[in-house]
Amino acid sequence: LLVKTDQGLRPFYRIAAERLARDLRVKTDALPPDFDMNDVACAYKEQNSDLSAVNDAVARILRTLTLPTPEPLKLLAQIPNFQLFISTTIDSLLEDAIASVRGCRPAVGAFPVSTEVIDYDESKIKEQGSLVFHILGLVSSSSSFAVTEGQMLEIMHDFMTSEGRQI
């Protein structure tokens, strides 16, 4: 998703990746020209054995990164018949867009579980008008979310094999 910045339109996750590299002191000259958070995390892991600092830094960055809501998300939120949204991102941009456009924050669910909503819940949609379900987790200091491609694969495997999954 592109967001408006002082430098013009820029990819949101590229901005986050640049801040992650800065916060973790990962040299960007050793990364691919179009590096992302996965590249930064992998470079950090080569220097350190633990990725917990990466997820902590990503959570901090995404909670404090203040940029305008991307226009495509606002357009998506304007579709009145859409009540259930499935997100493959770990940020709250879609919730922010829905709140901005519809005047009411949506219910939020995630896998792995980070809120009381763990699956489709029609009562939450009736209460709040919409529900956003984050299939790769949601940035939180208390739950899992995917930053690296390996974490994405692990979460998708857990999602597909979990006993609580409804078919």
Side-chain angles (χ1 to χ4, degrees):
L1 287 171
L2 298 176
V3 292
K4 291 181 184 177
T5 68
D6 296 340
Q7 297 90 21
L9 289 175
R10 298 199 54 224
F12 176 79
Y13 275 96
R14 175 56 187 241
I15 296 167
E18 290 168 355
R19 291 191 184 182
L20 182 62
R22 184 187 68 219
D23 287 4
L24 296 176
R25 296 185 179 102
V26 171
K27 296 181 183 199
T28 57
D29 56 349
L31 298 175
D34 58 345
F35 69 90
D36 59 14
M37 288 197 306
N38 178 70
D39 295 318
V40 175
C42 291
Y44 180 82
K45 189 172 183 188
E46 285 181 22
Q47 300 167 355
N48 307 278
S49 60
D50 184 19
L51 278 179
S52 63
V54 172
N55 280 36
D56 292 343
V58 168
R60 186 175 52 257
I61 289 164
L62 292 184
R63 280 195 309 266
T64 60
L65 191 58
T66 54
L67 295 167
T69 304
E71 194 62 29
L73 292 181
K74 287 183 184 178
L75 293 171
L76 182 63
Q78 288 175 3
I79 301 172
N81 291 336
F82 283 12
Q83 296 176 317
L84 175 63
F85 298 85
I86 306 298
S87 177
T88 58
T89 65
I90 59 174
D91 59 69
S92 62
L93 291 174
L94 183 54
E95 292 99 286
D96 296 343
I98 292 168
S100 169
V101 168
R102 298 183 181 187
C104 180
R105 286 203 75 77
V108 177
F111 185 90
V113 177
S114 64
T115 68
E116 75 280 356
V117 180
I118 60 171
D119 208 340
Y120 176 79
D121 186 344
E122 194 167 339
S123 69
K124 291 292 182 186
I125 291 176
K126 286 179 182 175
E127 287 173 25
Q128 294 180 256
S130 58
L131 182 139
V132 176
F133 189 84
H134 292 268
I135 201 163
L136 295 175
L138 179 62
V139 164
S140 167
S141 56
S142 62
S143 69
S144 298
F145 56 91
V147 174
T148 67
E149 292 171 1
Q151 290 170 332
M152 288 179 197
L153 286 172
E154 288 174 13
I155 288 175
M156 288 307 301
H157 176 266
D158 291 346
F159 180 75
M160 297 305 294
T161 59
S162 73
E163 290 180 23
R165 183 175 69 94
Q166 295 185 11
I167 299 175

